[in-house]
Structures are given as structure tokens and as C-alpha cells.
Amino acid sequence: HGHFLRQPAFRRLIAIETPMFTGEPVTMIRWKAVIAALELGQLPCSPSEQAIVRIAASLASPDIPVRLGAVLGTLDARNIALVTTAVAAANG
């Protein structure tokens, strides 16, 4: 969506880890922390921005549910197309 990557509060929820098997640094978004920050009002955003990050979190982490009926209604045609592409990519 572009909104969150510019927010310092969101960037604090990104971790850099080095897996033992590659030794290469990997950037990881701590999705549960992102959702908690959203619910506590610590990540100010519009309804469509919140919908996108909730969908992304659900795609990235199977234990984070999203109510699609509640979030898709806040998206414009461009963002629905982006979500459709992301869902298709996530499902191979």
C-alpha cells in the first residue's frame, strides 16, 4: 500500500534476522505486533490502509484471521486488484 513503510511506528515492527542456514540477513515484519498496534490505535491510517495491512498480515501468517467481508468494502478498484493479485500469488 505504501503508507506504512513511511511510518516510523510501523518500521519499529520490522525485525532483521540472520537465519543460520544462509547467514544472510532477512527483513521480517512482525505481523502479530502490527495487528496489535493497529488495534491499540498506534498506527494511524485510513480504513483502506488498515484493510490492506490486515489482509497482508493474514496472507503472511495463517494464524492471523481477517474478515474479508468487513475489509474489502473499504477498498477502491485499484486496491481490490492488488489484493486479488496477492491472494493468487499466495496460493501458488
Side-chain angles (χ1 to χ4, degrees), residues 9-74:
F10 182 80
R11 288 195 305 260
R12 286 191 288 275
L13 302 172
I14 297 173
I16 298 175
E17 298 181 10
T18 306
M20 291 179 62
F21 59 92
T22 66
E24 295 292 321
V26 176
T27 303
M28 300 178 68
I29 298 171
R30 298 179 353 205
W31 289 109
K32 287 183 181 180
V34 169
I35 297 302
L38 272 179
E39 291 175 356
L40 293 171
Q42 297 171 341
L43 290 174
C45 58
S46 70
S48 70
E49 291 161 345
Q50 186 174 134
I52 291 291
V53 82
R54 287 183 182 280
I55 293 167
S58 181
L59 288 172
S61 183
D63 58 337
I64 298 177
V66 65
R67 292 180 53 220
L68 289 176
V71 296
L72 291 178
T74 66

